[in-house]
Amino acid sequence: MATDITFEQVNYWYQAGTPFAVQALKDINLAITPGSFTAVVGQTGSGKSTMIQHLNALLKPSSGTVKIGDRVITNETKNKHLKPLRKKVGMVFQFPENQLFEETVIKDIAFGPQNFGVSEADALVLAKRMAQEVGLDESLLNRSPFDLSGGQMRRVAIAGVLALEPEVLVLDEPTAGLDPRGRLEVMQLVTRLREEQGLTIILITHQMDDVANYADHVIVMGHGEVIKQGSPREIFSDPEWLEAHQLGLPAATQFAYKLQQDGFQFDSMPLTVEELADQLAPQLAKEGIDHE
Amino acid sequence: MAIIRVENLNYQYPNSDTQAIDNVSFEIQAGDWVAIVGHNGSGKSTLAKLLIGLMAADSGKITIDGQELTPETVWQIREKVGMVFQNPDNQFVGATVADDVAFGMENRSVDRDTMVTKVDQALAQVGMLDYKNREPANLSGGQKQRVALAGIIAIAPKILILDEATSMLDPRGRQEILSVIQDLKQQLNLTVLSITHDIDEAANADRLVVIDDGRFVEEATPKELFSHGQQLVEMGLDVPLPEKLKDALQQRHVAIPQSYLDERGLADWLRTSRLNK
């Protein structure tokens, strides 16, 4: 069954009932449809990480309702019987490589499914398939995960979550700290998982270029609230609003707004370098014309 | 004066069959901002750990502020060096944000009144004063990293090493931290060594040192290096937008200049080209 996720009037307080109580989420209403690619953006401290921890009931709302497929999570929900939910919604946290612990790469990937009752033999078969899926070379499988590079360790961690065969994959800044090539590889992997396996993707990111290139829905958070939702084109069509909320634009869009002030015309604001070049080229002198 | 001098440095991890650092030599002048760039696994972070004596080199010599790094001098040298690591969760000790910032000063026997003032000053400089009494565990990654930086600022070291320290911050947070570091560098004649993949952080540096497979590849100004275009990806850096756009325009048969242009330079050139059409 496809897993819809909806939040209805969700509030969450940290250190509730103490003098240090801080409201991290305020009246969150949102819906995530199966197979969609949702980007969650917002300043540092806007509640993004708190929000995603509600997606598999790691946190339960202080008030309001989170529906994940046919499960309803409220403040009253007991911690029992949440296991199937955790399997359905796979969570890749920031710096997931810190959670690796097994002796070998293959055992680390196989740990999750075994925890959910899959036999060791079956889990190892699954792990091998997932290692291949994320592009880990077979020669690495019997090495210690701690001997791998940062980018490889991150792929081991993602493979470990994929081995649970989730329907929804939540990634909290999965490319942080990776070099540009590593970032591109992770984003291509995420895109492929969505296209080939129909996974629902929820990505927390600061990279507006990734939002422009990959997402079809954007949730903007600020001070614990959802302050805007829409397609990337809608979100990036209002630079003043973004500036006021201390959010950036994709690099190509930002540059296009500058060029607009220089007299260049854009039918719709370009979100990527390719779109920008498409619209600029007809407005420029062609090769072979000397304009010195 | 060279405040950091590295001569013929070698290091190999146990159980590894390749050199993580292979005969690396370079110098950093006092008051400079030098960025070490290289792709993941190139040896950058290993180099940083060797520089502050977290690991001992197999051979070669490291001299910091006139003192050779040895097991005897390592504690004196660490007094002069503040380091912010990539993952803030690995560097928290205090029960509150303020406690955490004070920790480094407590180790240096700073008196209480000075400490209280310096904690506030440092937190204000990184934009975290409002969070003074919060538990570090409840902060987001970017906020934690700002607190870690405040702890370093409070000790006022001669050398600041940033090991991917801005990689967790949002673009604005990163710009704020970078401008705080620029200010501090001016005020305190701080030497900054940043290990980074971030093109903005690299652009802030006076010079860039490129490391690959543990070897020194080249040293250049940001402007010189950024003109390498697509090769930058091999060096672990992103290609700057103007270079990407130039490539895309060239594919569409637009005659573009070969030399490196920053955004302003490219905007100027585009405006002229449009008027000449």
Side-chain angles (χ1 to χ4, degrees), chain A residues 56-95:
Chain A
N56 70 351
L58 283 176
L59 294 177
K60 287 173 285 188
S62 303
S63 69
T65 312
V66 176
K67 284 185 192 147
I68 305 160
D70 51 4
R71 288 299 304 269
V72 178
I73 310 292
T74 69
N75 194 31
E76 305 294 312
T77 306
K78 298 278 176 280
N79 283 332
K80 277 185 179 178
H81 313 303
L82 288 177
K83 235 177 166 179
L85 196 61
R86 305 262 158 84
K87 191 174 183 309
K88 201 177 269 184
V89 181
M91 192 78 73
V92 179
F93 288 103
Q94 289 179 6
F95 297 104

Side-chain angles (χ1 to χ4, degrees), chain B residues 61-126:
Chain B
K61 189 170 158 187
I62 295 170
T63 313
I64 293 188
D65 199 25
Q67 244 179 339
E68 187 180 341
L69 178 66
T70 65
E72 289 73 40
T73 60
V74 64
W75 293 103
Q76 280 168 284
I77 283 175
R78 283 194 200 154
E79 291 283 305
K80 301 171 186 174
V81 184
M83 187 153 173
V84 182
F85 293 93
Q86 182 181 45
N87 188 346
D89 286 334
N90 298 344
Q91 45 196 332
F92 272 99
V93 288
T96 67
V97 164
D99 283 354
D100 203 81
V101 175
F103 180 76
M105 285 187 281
E106 283 170 345
N107 277 347
R108 287 163 175 76
S109 312
V110 175
D111 70 81
R112 188 180 157 76
D113 289 345
T114 315
M115 199 157 20
V116 169
T117 319
K118 281 196 171 171
V119 165
D120 283 6
Q121 269 174 359
L123 284 172
Q125 274 172 307
V126 299

